[in-house]
């Protein structure tokens, strides 16, 4: 009746995406979030479809600054804004927010984000166990531990 029927037919990634308001609403924001995340999710959905993961629920969160109003630090995939078009990429949180993620790369643009996610999502498609969530897979294969070793000051 209100034209909302299509929203439940979105990808598992899109249905589990959250962004803070960021630019231009928040004075703390250093990068886009709410206005940019839908476009980025569309590009990641292409990677998911290529790997047969289009229906897989994966949490992704984006904040325009490190304050983390969208709770990015517990998502399976997270981005926090550092400058216009530049983000820190975090991977491996718990699907339900029960485990913090790990910083993978700092101050990167869209091309690098998509390249890294393309690699990791491809590995996930090929090597996941039955009913294994993306964040759990990242933890199991050691990506989180490797990232934490490279970023020792991160919790």
């Amino acid at each position: 009746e209100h034209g909302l029927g299509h929203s439940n037919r979105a990808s598992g990634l899109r249905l589990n995406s959250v962004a803070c308001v960021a630019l231009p609403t928040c004075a703390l924001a250093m990068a886009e979030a709410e206005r940019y995340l839908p476009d980025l999710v569309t590009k990641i959905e292409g990677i998911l479809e290529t790997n047969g993961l289009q229906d897989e629920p994966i949490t992704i969160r984006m904040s325009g600054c490190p304050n983390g109003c969208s709770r990015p630090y517990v998502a399976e995939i997270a981005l926090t804004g550092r400058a216009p078009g530049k983000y820190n990429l975090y991977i491996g949180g718990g699907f339900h927010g029960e485990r913090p993620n790990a910083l993978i790369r700092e101050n990167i643009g869209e091309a690098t984000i998509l390249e890294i996610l393309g690699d990791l999502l491809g590995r996930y498609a090929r090597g996941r166990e039955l009913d294994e969530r993306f964040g759990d897979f990242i933890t199991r294969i050691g990506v989180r531990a490797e990232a934490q070793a490279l970023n020792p000051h991160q919790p």
Side-chain angles (χ1 to χ4, degrees), residues 30-95:
M30 296 181 268
E32 292 284 355
E34 181 181 53
R35 297 187 302 179
Y36 172 53
L37 185 58
D39 292 335
L40 181 63
V41 165
T42 298
K43 293 173 183 177
I44 298 169
E45 285 171 332
I47 296 168
L48 293 171
E49 189 169 340
T50 299
N51 289 287
L53 298 169
Q54 61 272 13
D55 295 324
E56 190 66 30
I58 297 172
T59 58
I60 182 168
R61 300 202 179 136
M62 179 178 269
S63 288
C65 76
N67 287 341
C69 292
S70 64
R71 299 184 339 254
Y73 303 112
V74 293
E76 293 177 290
I77 300 170
L79 298 130
T80 59
R82 303 303 299 160
K86 299 292 182 180
Y87 298 87
N88 286 355
L89 175 62
Y90 298 82
I91 299 288
F95 178 80

Side-chain angles (χ1 to χ4, degrees), residues 9-25:
R9 291 189 297 272
S11 72
L13 180 71
R14 193 170 298 272
L15 290 172
N16 290 287
S17 64
V18 176
C20 73
V21 296
L23 297 173
T25 306

